[in-house]
């Protein structure tokens, strides 16, 4: 039996935000395709999600490896049951750029940018043809707050914001939700993996993964294009967009500004 909600693909479902998000989707009746690198952890997420009575498939894949990414793309590209893609997998390493290993640098770009973009491209024609579905892209507050020694990660999340915003315009009349979730710091293994204990962050600035995912799923239920789980007043985002548009209006001119006049 397949679910009437269709199948949601969740990357990075072996722990942290992705695992909780997968449970929330299962409770909402989505069948699941879950990806991650750690088989035992991914199986544990799958077993918990199946308790909601949905079908769950797991794919062990390192999204930084082109052959693994191609395998996930091939699996999801032509499956008419797919109704949602949750681009949650993400990675980061804290280091001054000159000391950041090439492997860490490449992995951050490969997972946070390349995989997110290619998986989105893989499901988009099917969602467009069916005129329904959701693509949820996990960004970060650091997309708007470049943090020294974390620049590759920050910029990868700025890419997620810019790419998603452009795609929102592209699919505006196609019945597809392209949603961006902008978490603050969240207490997951992400920080240890990045090389900064979460205890080093200001305590009042860190959200629990349960609160984060609860808010993100409410945003999905409501069909919000932008989900800012910690932002009290979304007017701040609207003001930011107005300021951005004013800047762009000033930039898109074919003449040198007076201070650069020939
Ligand atoms: N935690 C935060 O403070 C925070 C704040 C803002 C945004 N975010 C974003 O939220 C998302 C989830 O983060 P999280 O806090 O849940 O982090 P997490 O606990 O470290 O989980 C990250 C997930 O991504 C997967 N992943 C990492 N590298 C991968 C690779 N090379 N190939 C395949 N999967 C890979 C991991 O799976 P495996 O380990 O099985 O490979 C894991 O399931 C990320 O996009 C992150 O950037 C997090």
């Amino acid at each position: 039996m397949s679910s009437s909600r269709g199948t949601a693909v969740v990357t990075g479902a072996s722990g942290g935000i992705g695992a909780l998000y997968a449970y929330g989707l299962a409770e909402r009746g989505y069948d699941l395709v879950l990806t991650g690198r750690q088989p035992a952890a991914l199986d544990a997420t799958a077993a918990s999600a199946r308790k909601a009575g949905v079908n769950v498939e797991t794919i062990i894949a390192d999204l930084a490896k082109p052959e693994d990414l191609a395998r996930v793309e091939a699996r999801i590209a032509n499956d008419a049951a797919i109704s949602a893609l949750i681009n949650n997998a993400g990675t980061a390493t804290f280091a001054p750029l000159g000391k950041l290993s090439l492997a860490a640098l490449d992995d951050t770009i490969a997972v946070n940018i390349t995989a997110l973009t290619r998986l989105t491209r893989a499901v988009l024609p099917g969602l467009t043809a069916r005129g329904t579905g959701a693509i949820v892209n996990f960004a970060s507050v650091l997309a708007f707050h470049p943090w020294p020694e974390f620049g590759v990660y920050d910029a990868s999340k700025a890419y997620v914001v810019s790419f998603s915003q452009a795609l929102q315009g592209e699919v505006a009349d196609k019945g597809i939700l392209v949603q961006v979730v902008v978490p603050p710091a969240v207490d997951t293994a992400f920080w240890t993996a990045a090389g900064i204990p979460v205890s080093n962050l200001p305590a009042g600035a860190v959200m629990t993964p349960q609160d984060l995912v609860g808010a993100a799923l409410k945003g999905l239920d409501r069909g919000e294009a932008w989900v800012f789980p910690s932002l009290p007043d979304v007017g701040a985002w609207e003001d930011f967009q107005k300021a951005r548009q004013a800047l762009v209006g000033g930039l898109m001119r074919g003449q040198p500004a007076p201070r650069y006049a020939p």
Side-chain angles (χ1 to χ4, degrees):
M1 282 275 291
S2 59
S3 160
S4 60
R5 300 299 297 266
T7 300
V9 181
V10 184
T11 67
S14 50
I17 292 167
L20 294 173
Y21 201 101
Y23 303 147
L25 290 176
E27 283 163 2
R28 283 161 175 75
Y30 287 88
D31 290 330
L32 296 171
V33 173
L34 307 178
T35 83
R37 285 172 304 181
Q38 306 174 63
L42 200 59
D43 282 349
T45 305
S48 295
R50 283 187 190 108
K51 289 181 187 155
V54 299
N55 299 315
V56 184
E57 174 185 336
T58 57
I59 305 177
I60 304 303
D62 183 339
L63 296 178
K65 290 193 175 148
E67 63 276 20
D68 284 19
L69 176 58
R71 191 158 43 82
V72 179
E73 277 177 300
R75 165 62 187 86
I76 68 178
N78 298 308
D79 183 344
I82 286 176
S83 56
L85 168 66
I86 316 301
N87 277 311
N88 164 77
T91 187
T93 300
F94 194 76
L97 187 60
K99 293 190 174 165
L100 184 64
S101 75
L102 287 178
L105 186 157
D106 288 346
D107 279 6
T108 302
I109 292 173
V111 176
N112 300 8
I113 295 181
T114 306
L116 176 140
T117 309
R118 287 185 51 158
L119 296 179
T120 298
R121 182 181 175 278
V123 299
L124 199 58
L127 297 182
T128 304
R130 296 188 284 284
T132 184
I135 296 167
V136 176
N137 291 335
F138 273 81
S140 165
V141 64
L142 295 176
F144 305 103
H145 182 53
W147 192 16
E149 305 192 17
F150 221 38
V152 177
Y153 177 76
D154 302 342
S156 76
K157 293 302 183 178
Y159 174 93
V160 173
V161 167
S162 181
F163 168 71
S164 303
Q165 196 159 16
L167 196 59
Q168 287 171 346
E170 197 172 314
V171 304
D173 59 352
K174 306 259 189 301
I176 301 167
L177 173 69
V178 175
Q179 180 184 79
V180 188
V181 182
V182 185
V186 182
D187 188 359
T188 68
F190 173 88
W191 291 102
T192 312
I196 317 170
V198 76
S199 55
N200 282 21
L201 303 174
V206 180
M207 192 177 276
T208 67
Q210 290 78 12
D211 281 350
L212 184 279
V213 172
L217 286 164
K218 273 188 190 155
L220 182 68
D221 293 340
R222 293 173 188 163
E224 294 175 355
W226 296 88
V227 182
F228 298 95
S230 54
L231 186 67
D233 177 9
V234 285
W237 169 246
E238 288 154 11
D239 290 346
F240 184 76
Q241 289 307 304
K242 282 184 201 147
R244 185 182 60 76
Q245 280 154 8
L247 175 67
V248 170
L251 289 169
M252 288 188 113
R253 301 165 63 254
Q255 301 296 322
R259 69 186 176 287
Y260 301 121

